[in-house]
């Protein structure tokens, strides 16, 4: 579908009574849209449905964006379940990040033009819909050569990896970090961003079918060591360091035993940052970890970071990440799924078919 500049087409209004499509778009209305909505919180596969949304007005400062791709992230699922601390009130459209192409702009918009590639920044609710109309200030223009699946996924996970590697412990080339949940997109980005800084990574993944292949894939990305949790069922995990220095920084997005393993690798005075809880199990810490190792426990939440004066820094980080992605220096596996197959993508994201790569909806 061709992109439209509303002002340029206003001359067409009323000229062509045969072309209903152009007449409808050339007024200040978006095209009709398809969206994944939920009317109440609950199990995502039960409460979500694909619906048609009527055209909405594109006001003078608005930009109408035709969405190209948007992922299903764990936090999207938690928002629909109603367990994420900040969430829209239902009825709501799902999704939080994505990428789109400017389709039409209001008359007062000068910074964006039809055809521009944009991402919502800061990310905002409702990206699982084919057309979105929002104020121009919400859209961040990016390089048109960016592969759409990377543009769609840069704002939440890669940015988290980037920020966490900067925010807690000053790392130097030759240092090491340890993390669990290493197959996640955050985990894969941590491996690659650490490598760019000359920092080694020790990675822990869960025991599951395909774990050997997952290990090989992480090593291809630059992981130094990759272990399944059961391999670390030892008295002293540090025997597994294989010549790497003891890490001062660890990342936990799983909880339970996987978090304890991160703590066991840390050197005296080390810090573990918890940013997710995929296993839905609490983090337990031995008394001796505090007394004899003086470990610190911290948390990270991207949404909080975005609401501080660091938001503009985050925008620069995103541009830097997109450069690295275009250069092939950051990559991760994704599965592109047509928007109409939303429910099959959701089943995969919910783990109903075993472990699957990140599901990215394409419009
Ligand atoms: P992905 O969707 O890319 O991958 C999911 C990951 O979770 C995989 O590594 C998967 O392992 C693992 N996993 C799934 N279920 C379990 C389980 N029951 N036990 C252990 N591991 C499990 O993840 P993302 O990169 O999108 O997100 C990773 C984590 O980071 C999530 O918890 C997310 O909420 C959090 N996050 C937090 C942010 C913050 O600001 N605090 C920002 C961004 C993300 P496998 O490969 O074996 O299937």
């Amino acid at each position: 579908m061709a992109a439209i500049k509303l002002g340029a087409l206003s001359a067409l209004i009323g000229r062509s009574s045969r072309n209903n499509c152009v007449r409808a778009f050339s007024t200040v209305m978006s095209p009709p849209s398809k969206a994944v909505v939920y009317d109440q919180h609950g199990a995502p596969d039960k409460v979500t449905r694909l619906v048609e949304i009527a055209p909405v007005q594109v006001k003078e400062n608005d930009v109408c964006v035709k969405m190209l791709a948007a992922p299903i992230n764990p936090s999207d699922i938690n928002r629909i379940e109603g367990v994420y601390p900040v969430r829209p009130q239902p009825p709501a459209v799902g999704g939080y990040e994505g990428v789109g192409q400017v389709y039409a702009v209001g008359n007062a918009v000068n910074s964006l033009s039809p055809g521009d590639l944009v991402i919502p920044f800061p990310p905002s609710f409702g990206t699982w819909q084919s057309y979105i109309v929002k104020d121009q200030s919400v859209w961040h223009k990016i390089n048109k050569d960016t592969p759409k699946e990377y543009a769609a996924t840069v704002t939440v996970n890669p940015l988290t990896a980037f920020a966490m590697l900067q925010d807690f412990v000053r790392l130097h080339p030759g240092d090491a970090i340890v993390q669990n949940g290493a197959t996640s997109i955050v985990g894969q980005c941590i491996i690659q961003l650490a490598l760019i800084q000359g920092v080694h990574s020790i990675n822990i993944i869960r025991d599951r079918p395909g774990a050997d292949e997952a290990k090989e894939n992480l090593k291809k990305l630059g992981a130094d060591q990759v272990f399944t949790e059961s391999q670390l069922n030892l008295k002293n995990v540090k025997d597994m360091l294989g010549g790497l220095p003891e890490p001062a920084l660890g990342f936990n997005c799983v909880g339970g035993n996987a978090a304890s393993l991160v703590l066991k690798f840390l050197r005296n005075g080390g810090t573990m940052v918890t940013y997710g809880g995929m296993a839905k199990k609490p983090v337990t810490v031995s008394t001796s970890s505090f007394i004899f190792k003086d470990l610190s426990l911290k948390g990270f939440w991207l949404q909080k970071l975005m609401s501080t004066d660091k938001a503009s820094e985050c925008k620069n980080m995103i541009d830097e990440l997109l450069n690295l992605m275009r250069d092939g220096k950051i990559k991760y596996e994704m599965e592109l799924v047509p928007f109409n197959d939303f429910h099959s993508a959701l089943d995969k994201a919910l783990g109903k078919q075993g472990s699957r790569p990140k599901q990215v909806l394409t419009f």
Side-chain angles (χ1 to χ4, degrees), residues 80-135:
I80 297 169
E81 290 168 336
V83 298
Y84 204 74
V86 177
R87 52 184 188 262
Q89 191 58 33
V93 177
Y96 185 63
E97 65 173 337
V99 65
Q101 190 172 41
V102 174
Y103 178 81
V105 297
N107 285 331
V109 174
N110 294 317
S111 55
L112 292 170
S113 309
D116 285 345
L117 202 61
V118 289
I119 56 175
F121 186 88
S124 50
F125 306 125
T127 53
W128 295 345
Q129 60 183 312
S130 45
Y131 288 88
I132 301 179
V133 176
K134 283 195 177 168
D135 190 272

Side-chain angles (χ1 to χ4, degrees), residues 61-93:
N61 280 306
D62 282 346
V63 174
C64 172
V65 170
K66 179 187 186 314
M67 292 304 285
L68 301 176
I72 305 178
N73 284 323
S75 51
D76 296 321
I77 288 170
N78 296 154
R79 280 189 195 92
I80 297 169
E81 290 168 336
V83 298
Y84 204 74
V86 177
R87 52 184 188 262
Q89 191 58 33
V93 177

Side-chain angles (χ1 to χ4, degrees), residues 169 238 246-249 263-271 288-296:
V169 172
K238 292 196 180 158
E246 289 178 288
L249 179 60
L263 290 168
K264 283 184 184 167
F265 268 109
L266 288 178
R267 74 175 183 218
N268 285 357
T271 299
S288 62
S289 298
F290 288 120
I291 300 175
F292 302 116
K293 283 184 76 181
D294 193 23
L295 295 185
S296 297

Side-chain angles (χ1 to χ4, degrees), residues 140-205:
H140 177 51
K141 184 173 162 178
I142 61 167
N143 186 310
K144 276 187 190 165
D145 298 333
T146 313
K148 68 178 176 187
E149 63 275 26
Y150 283 97
T153 52
V154 68
T155 327
V156 173
N157 295 316
L159 182 59
T160 292
F162 198 120
M164 290 198 304
L165 279 166
Q166 288 193 348
D167 275 7
F168 296 95
V169 172
R170 198 180 178 86
L171 294 166
H172 303 281
D175 287 347
I177 59 98
V178 55
Q179 65 166 340
N180 60 30
T183 50
S184 67
I185 291 204
V186 178
Q188 294 181 59
C189 290
I190 285 176
I191 292 169
Q192 295 167 89
L193 289 166
L195 184 69
I196 290 168
Q197 296 177 46
V199 170
H200 303 284
S201 62
I202 300 156
N203 300 278
I204 303 165
I205 64 174

Side-chain angles (χ1 to χ4, degrees), residues 74 157 160 183-186 206 208 275 278 300 302 355 358:
N157 295 316
T160 292
T183 50
S184 67
I185 291 204
V186 178
R206 61 176 167 167
R208 60 156 168 90
Y275 67 98
M278 292 306 295
F300 175 88
L302 184 68
S355 179
K358 175 72 69 192

